[in-house]
């Protein structure tokens, strides 16, 4: 009898909790765990109900805006399991979601946005389609990645004003040490897009593999693309596949930055064409992980014909402004030869209409106007680059290399630049990391993933999550609005999102993931 009373009381208490203080209605927009953290969030304390009766409108005649509206609809279809309608409109509708561009003289910059979530209308306003895309991404973070069947989807009302700190917010994927197919690259692009990154640097060639079809030099892929670290079968992108990647990225406002690493890191090319070697003999293919042993023959004219053809073909498939010439760790190229080579290659890149990016060693050459130095290791090189007028992309290996192990027990990755736990990866400011590289010199931030030890998508995910959202936030959110103790709570909430995206991530003990 007593037991029954206790049971009944518990049931009553349970029902009471369910109806009175059960799952709290999400009425405070400031409580949403956004990554990257927006510049300002104001809560209006009410709610917008998302159902398939909500139409997504876009302003007519704005380049790419219909595509962004359809992208948002596809994402909402996936979340809600319903079909959302997309229509154009030239006036602000009374209800629904409305994407429009503004010419107002506001301080949002070219990628910033306003997102106003009212009871009936969600207004997205930006100076560019890219800004509208980022607003849509912010809006999507107010919703689950996938709703449960019958789940009522509500969004807290409020106003967000937001813009990025840095113009360049990127990640790099090394597809040379191990090759990753088009579907893997697309999934990687989706990760970047989720967190408002706007550049994917593809490391397309190295000692172990040449990964992009060059029609005028077909043996690069026939021979140079035929293996990878460990002796696997390697692979390469046809030009058609590369263009498919470029298009997929562009639809998500991500620029592909192609890298052909030279004059070192070139064994795959040297094995494919004997004439690129000073002794006229092709090298053996290489499947190990040493660096610094290969060089193109800088004194031969055929080398520059080769570079010209490669740059010309890739540049013609790449709408983005940049071409990355590598330039790192050319340990067997004499200094003067290196400088001569980098100077000539910069002219070639410029001739084909692209701006030069190179690892920090390229600062030893005369930099062309508009060149960018990617700081990974050497402050002196980077300083020299700044003195020669270059901008800097910040990728300090000890903070931003996603292939560094989290700690000594991590089964993947390397640790030559140290271990990078999640707090160490997040808790730094590009503009104060050292005295000479200051805010005005910095174009942005990039987190590279080298793949000597990484062989498949699950392994990519394990090294990239949860680091990538942190690097995205470093690029987007000003350092005054960032601190680890607060960020780790938002990151913990994103653990559920990673699970829903079926991302195999590292559950760092420094993050309070919850259940
Ligand atoms: C590099 O990590 N060799 C740029």
């Amino acid at each position: 009898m007593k037991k029954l009373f206790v049971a009944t009381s518990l049931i009553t208490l349970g029902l009471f909790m369910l109806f009175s203080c059960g799952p709290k209605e999400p009425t405070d927009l400031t409580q949403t765990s956004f990554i990257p953290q927006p510049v300002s969030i104001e809560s209006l304390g009410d709610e917008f109900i998302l159902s398939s009766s909500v139409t997504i409108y876009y302003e007519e005649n704005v380049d790419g805006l219909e595509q962004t509206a359809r992208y948002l609809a596809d994402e909402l279809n996936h979340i809600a399991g319903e079909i959302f309608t997309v229509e154009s409109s030239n006036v602000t509708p009374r209800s629904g979601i409305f994407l429009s561009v503004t010419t107002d003289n506001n301080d949002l910059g070219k990628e910033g946005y306003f997102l106003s979530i009212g009871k009936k209308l969600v207004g997205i306003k930006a100076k560019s389609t890219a800004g509208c895309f980022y607003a849509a991404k912010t809006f999507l973070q107010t919703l689950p990645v996938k709703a449960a069947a019958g789940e009522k989807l509500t969004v807290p009302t409020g106003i967000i004003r937001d813009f990025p700190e840095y113009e360049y917010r990127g990640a790099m994927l090394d597809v040379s040490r191990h090759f990753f197919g088009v579907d893997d690259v697309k999934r990687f692009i989706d990760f970047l897009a989720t967190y408002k990154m706007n550049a994917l640097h593809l490391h397309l060639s190295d000692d172990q593999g040449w990964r992009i079809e060059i029609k005028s030099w077909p043996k690069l892929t026939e021979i140079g693309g035929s293996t990878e670290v460990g002796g696997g079968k390697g692979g390469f992108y046809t030009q058609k596949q590369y263009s498919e990647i470029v298009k997929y990225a562009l639809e998500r406002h991500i620029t592909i930055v192609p890298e052909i690493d030279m004059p070192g890191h070139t064994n795959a090319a040297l094995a494919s064409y004997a004439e690129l070697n000073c002794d006229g003999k092709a090298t053996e293919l290489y499947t190990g992980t040493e660096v610094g042993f290969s060089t193109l023959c800088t004194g031969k004219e055929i080398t520059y014909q080769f570079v010209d053809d490669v740059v010309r073909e890739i540049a013609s498939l790449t709408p983005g402004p940049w071409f990355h010439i590598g330039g790192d760790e050319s340990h067997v190229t004499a200094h003067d030869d290196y400088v001569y080579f980098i100077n000539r290659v910069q002219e070639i890149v410029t001739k084909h209409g692209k701006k030069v990016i190179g690892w920090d060693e390229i600062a030893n050459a005369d930099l062309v106007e508009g060149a960018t130095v990617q700081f990974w290791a050497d402050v002196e090189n980077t300083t020299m680059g700044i003195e020669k007028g270059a901008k800097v992309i910040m990728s300090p290996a000890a903070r931003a290399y996603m292939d560094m192990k989290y700690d000594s027990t991590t089964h993947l990755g390397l640790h030559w630049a140290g271990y990078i736990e999640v707090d160490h990866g997040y808790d730094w400011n590009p503009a104060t990391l050292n005295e000479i590289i200051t805010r005005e010199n910095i174009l942005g931030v990039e987190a590279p993933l080298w793949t000597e030890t990484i062989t498949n998508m699950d392994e990519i995910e394990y090294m990239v999550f949860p680091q990538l959202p942190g690097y995205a936030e470093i690029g987007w959110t000003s350092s005054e609005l960032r601190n680890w103790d607060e960020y780790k709570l938002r990151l913990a909430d994103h653990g559920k999102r990673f699970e829903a995206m079926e991302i195999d991530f590292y559950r760092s003990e420094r993050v309070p993931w919850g259940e």
Side-chain angles (χ1 to χ4, degrees):
M1 186 65 192
K2 198 164 169 214
K3 258 191 188 155
L4 184 65
F5 173 75
V6 171
T8 318
S9 303
L10 282 177
I11 291 168
T12 313
L13 183 68
L15 286 173
F16 176 77
M17 285 176 65
L18 189 65
F19 289 110
S20 62
C21 55
K24 221 170 141 289
E25 288 299 333
T27 50
D28 185 354
L29 190 62
T30 65
Q31 297 303 303
T32 305
S33 292
F34 294 111
I35 300 178
Q37 180 67 22
V39 172
S40 79
I41 309 175
E42 183 191 337
S43 171
L44 294 175
D46 217 317
E47 67 182 29
F48 173 84
I49 298 171
L50 185 79
S51 71
S52 61
S53 64
V54 167
T55 298
I56 301 165
Y57 299 95
Y58 62 93
E59 188 180 346
E60 272 173 10
N61 301 324
V62 179
D63 215 16
L65 202 55
E66 176 178 358
Q67 192 177 57
T68 295
R70 293 201 181 279
Y71 179 92
L72 176 59
D74 286 346
E75 296 283 301
L76 294 176
N77 294 347
H78 171 79
I79 292 168
E82 300 181 53
I83 303 294
F84 288 81
T85 309
V86 177
E87 284 178 24
S88 67
S89 175
N90 271 341
V91 289
T92 305
R94 289 163 57 87
S95 63
I97 300 176
F98 182 47
L99 285 71
S100 62
V101 292
T102 168
T103 50
D104 289 358
N105 202 8
N106 54 47
D107 53 3
L108 293 175
K110 64 178 195 285
E111 293 180 300
Y113 63 87
F114 281 120
L115 169 62
S116 72
I117 305 169
K119 271 184 73 164
K120 296 270 177 250
L121 179 69
V122 173
I124 285 176
K125 222 180 236 271
K127 277 204 175 151
S128 68
T129 306
C132 290
F133 182 81
Y134 298 133
K137 283 292 179 189
T138 300
F139 181 69
L140 288 166
Q141 287 191 5
T142 65
L143 295 161
V145 170
K146 183 98 184 104
E151 184 179 351
K152 182 182 170 203
L153 291 172
T154 61
V155 177
T157 55
I159 296 171
I160 293 180
R161 184 175 149 271
D162 198 13
F163 52 86
E165 175 72 8
Y166 290 105
E167 174 181 339
Y168 184 103
R169 306 175 303 280
M172 187 203 83
L173 181 62
D174 169 10
V175 295
S176 182
R177 269 49 177 278
H178 283 98
F179 179 65
F180 300 93
V182 173
D183 288 346
D184 286 344
V185 177
K186 285 183 176 173
R187 182 159 166 81
F188 198 82
I189 288 170
D190 283 334
F191 297 157
L192 270 60
T194 299
Y195 293 103
K196 304 188 180 80
M197 283 179 154
N198 63 3
L200 172 61
H201 168 184
L202 284 176
H203 183 75
L204 290 166
S205 70
D206 211 303
D207 291 319
Q208 297 86 348
W210 186 282
R211 306 300 181 205
I212 180 158
E213 175 188 22
I214 302 296
K215 291 190 195 287
S216 53
W217 294 75
K219 286 197 286 184
L220 289 170
T221 44
E222 254 169 59
I223 297 173
S226 67
T227 193
E228 60 187 5
V229 168
K233 72 178 176 31
F236 65 91
Y237 311 117
T238 62
Q239 293 200 351
K240 193 159 168 266
Q241 286 173 323
Y242 176 78
S243 295
E244 187 184 330
I245 290 170
V246 165
K247 177 169 177 283
Y248 190 85
L250 208 58
E251 286 165 5
R252 287 152 184 78
H253 297 277
I254 290 170
T255 300
I256 297 293
V257 180
E259 177 187 354
I260 296 298
D261 202 349
M262 49 195 164
H265 288 277
T266 41
N267 189 72
L270 298 167
S272 307
Y273 285 98
E275 59 268 45
L276 298 176
N277 294 270
C278 284
D279 64 5
K281 293 196 190 111
T283 58
E284 297 289 314
L285 288 168
Y286 182 69
T287 60
T289 59
E290 295 298 314
V291 297
F293 61 87
S294 57
T295 184
L296 293 171
C297 189
T298 59
K300 277 186 171 178
E301 228 18 64
I302 186 76
T303 297
Y304 300 97
Q305 185 57 52
F306 164 76
V307 173
D308 195 293
D309 288 336
V310 168
V311 174
R312 174 177 48 76
E313 290 196 30
I314 296 175
S316 74
L317 305 168
T318 306
W322 293 292
F323 193 100
H324 199 305
I325 63 173
D328 57 322
E329 298 175 311
S330 285
H331 301 323
V332 295
T333 320
H335 178 82
D336 289 352
D337 296 345
Y338 176 86
V339 168
Y340 174 76
F341 176 87
I342 295 291
N343 285 346
R344 284 200 61 180
V345 169
Q346 289 183 89
E347 276 169 28
I348 293 170
V349 169
T350 306
K351 181 179 91 180
H352 291 296
K354 298 295 173 193
K355 293 206 277 188
V356 169
I357 304 180
W359 298 106
D360 58 52
E361 289 94 325
I362 70 159
N364 287 286
D366 306 326
L367 298 180
V368 288
E369 203 179 319
T372 298
V373 166
Q374 186 164 8
F375 168 59
W376 68 282
D378 195 306
V379 177
E380 266 175 47
N381 283 340
T382 309
T383 306
M384 209 160 34
I386 291 169
E387 282 164 7
K388 292 178 182 179
K391 290 273 186 220
V392 179
I393 292 173
M394 294 295 283
S395 304
R399 292 286 190 165
Y401 268 28
M402 294 192 288
D403 58 308
M404 289 300 116
K405 290 175 184 286
Y406 296 103
D407 65 24
S408 62
T409 68
T410 310
H411 61 290
L412 296 166
L414 304 171
H415 69 276
W416 59 263
Y419 298 114
I420 308 185
E421 249 296 355
V422 187
D423 52 348
H424 192 62
Y426 176 81
D427 204 4
W428 61 283
N429 177 356
T432 56
L433 193 65
N434 77 58
E435 280 170 18
I436 293 160
I437 312 170
T438 56
R439 177 67 189 84
E440 67 271 16
N441 305 129
I442 299 175
L443 184 68
V445 181
E446 181 184 294
L449 181 73
W450 301 98
T451 60
E452 286 95 333
T453 68
I454 315 265
T455 65
N456 60 44
M457 196 65 208
D458 279 348
E459 293 175 355
I460 289 180
E461 289 172 11
Y462 189 78
M463 295 312 286
V464 164
F465 282 93
Q467 300 289 43
L468 185 122
Y471 297 124
E473 178 152 304
I474 293 172
W476 184 281
T477 306
S478 80
S479 62
E480 293 87 67
L481 293 176
R482 297 198 289 113
N483 85 72
W484 165 253
D485 286 328
E486 184 276 328
Y487 170 72
K488 73 181 178 193
L489 305 177
R490 283 185 285 124
L491 183 59
D493 275 352
H494 278 243
K496 293 183 216 80
R497 306 185 79 81
F498 305 157
E499 279 167 13
M501 291 157 79
E502 297 183 357
I503 291 171
D504 180 20
F505 66 102
Y506 166 60
R507 288 177 183 272
S508 168
E509 285 178 4
R510 300 189 189 184
V511 180
W513 298 109
E515 291 303 298

